[in-house]
Amino acid sequence: MVAALEIRNLHVSVEDKPILRGVNLTIKQGEVHALMGPNGSGKSTLAHALMGHPAYHVTAGQVIFDGEDLLEMEADERSRAGLFLAFQYPVSIPGVTLANFLRQTINARMKAKDPESKGISIPQYTRLLKSKMDYLGMDHSFAGRYLNEGFSGGEKKRAEILQMATLEPKLAILDETDSGLDIDALRIVAEGVNRLSGPNLGALVITHYQRILNYIKPEFVHVMFEGQIVEHGGPELALHLEEQGYDWIREKYSAAE
Ligand code: ADP
Ligand code: MG
């Protein structure tokens, strides 16, 4: 059965300030979606709420993933259920290489399934990691880097894509970098998603960048504005945004005050 993420009338507050005001969105395994919208519209808030970040309070609505209530799950349960959310790993762990970190993630998952599991063997892991890196066109030396230490925005994204490749999620949600301006990072995410997407992977790529079609070809495009998804469409919607920017969205949907 195809897994789906169903977000229904989701309301999220941060520090008692309502940010998301009724988000509806369904993403199925095998589909590539783009979530676009001007800075500050609530895109990252959606990603944070879905990963269960404690600062983001769900005040109403439902999220169903693969038939289960996502909001009832701990962050690691969400990941084991097959949902990949970026930035699930700490910002920087001194002395831990990316390769070690990814192996620990795989082992933690195997142990959660079977407490007796000894985890993945080193030769097996080395083969897995190398094959994923080759598939993604990554230099093997990258896995020897210390986790996030001095990683550029683009390298953080590359690490994230490699983590996604090794975890083989059913559905991945990838937010742009905090700067929101790092086109290199979007390019890396897009190439990774293009490479990994297929019938077994669904993806939601979040960006404010209007020329997204130069990098990724989403079947579905959604535009968030002031905490709601105000437009749903296909690639033509992204093309329209590339030509017109977000001004028409502001004019059409700004609350008249
Ligand atoms: P986007 O990702 O679309 O640029 P965000 O979700 O980051 O938008 O932000 C939406 C709104 O929520 C902004 O007004 C922002 O200031 C506010 N916000 C988001 N996260 C926090 C936070 N941790 N603390 C306070 N305000 C926040
Ligand atoms: Mg953001």
Side-chain angles (χ1 to χ4, degrees), residues 102-115:
L102 293 179
R103 183 161 162 255
Q104 284 167 23
T105 326
I106 292 172
N107 285 346
R109 178 167 298 185
M110 288 169 77
K111 282 188 179 127
K113 259 197 205 141
D114 171 15

Side-chain angles (χ1 to χ4, degrees), residues 107-223:
N107 285 346
R109 178 167 298 185
M110 288 169 77
K111 282 188 179 127
K113 259 197 205 141
D114 171 15
E116 303 285 295
S117 169
K118 293 197 175 63
I120 188 167
S121 75
I122 302 239
Q124 203 188 349
Y125 174 62
T126 306
R127 266 199 309 277
L128 174 77
L129 189 61
K130 280 194 177 145
S131 76
K132 297 292 183 185
M133 293 185 93
D134 288 342
Y135 190 66
L136 291 165
M138 288 182 189
D139 196 297
H140 290 182
S141 66
F142 184 57
R145 292 274 305 275
Y146 288 100
L147 191 61
N148 285 355
E149 225 168 71
F151 275 18
S152 68
E155 285 168 340
K156 281 185 185 162
K157 290 288 144 185
R158 194 166 282 133
E160 209 170 273
I161 292 296
L162 185 59
Q163 186 183 17
M164 179 171 129
T166 54
L167 289 178
E168 300 178 347
K170 294 173 183 160
L171 213 142
I173 298 176
L174 297 143
D175 197 359
E176 64 194 4
T177 50
D178 291 342
S179 74
L181 295 170
D182 193 342
I183 194 58
D184 200 38
L186 174 61
R187 190 177 53 75
I188 289 162
V189 165
E191 280 170 6
V193 169
N194 289 341
R195 207 80 180 87
L196 299 172
S197 66
N200 295 321
L201 176 71
L204 177 66
V205 177
I206 302 180
T207 184
H208 83 300
Y209 194 70
Q210 291 154 21
R211 292 174 72 189
I212 184 174
L213 295 179
N214 290 354
Y215 303 90
I216 202 161
K217 308 272 180 271
E219 302 166 72
F220 304 94
V221 175
H222 315 275
V223 181

Side-chain angles (χ1 to χ4, degrees), residues 77-91:
E77 291 177 273
R78 297 178 192 206
S79 152
R80 261 182 277 136
L83 187 65
F84 179 84
L85 295 152
F87 37 72
Q88 258 168 355
Y89 52 89
V91 180

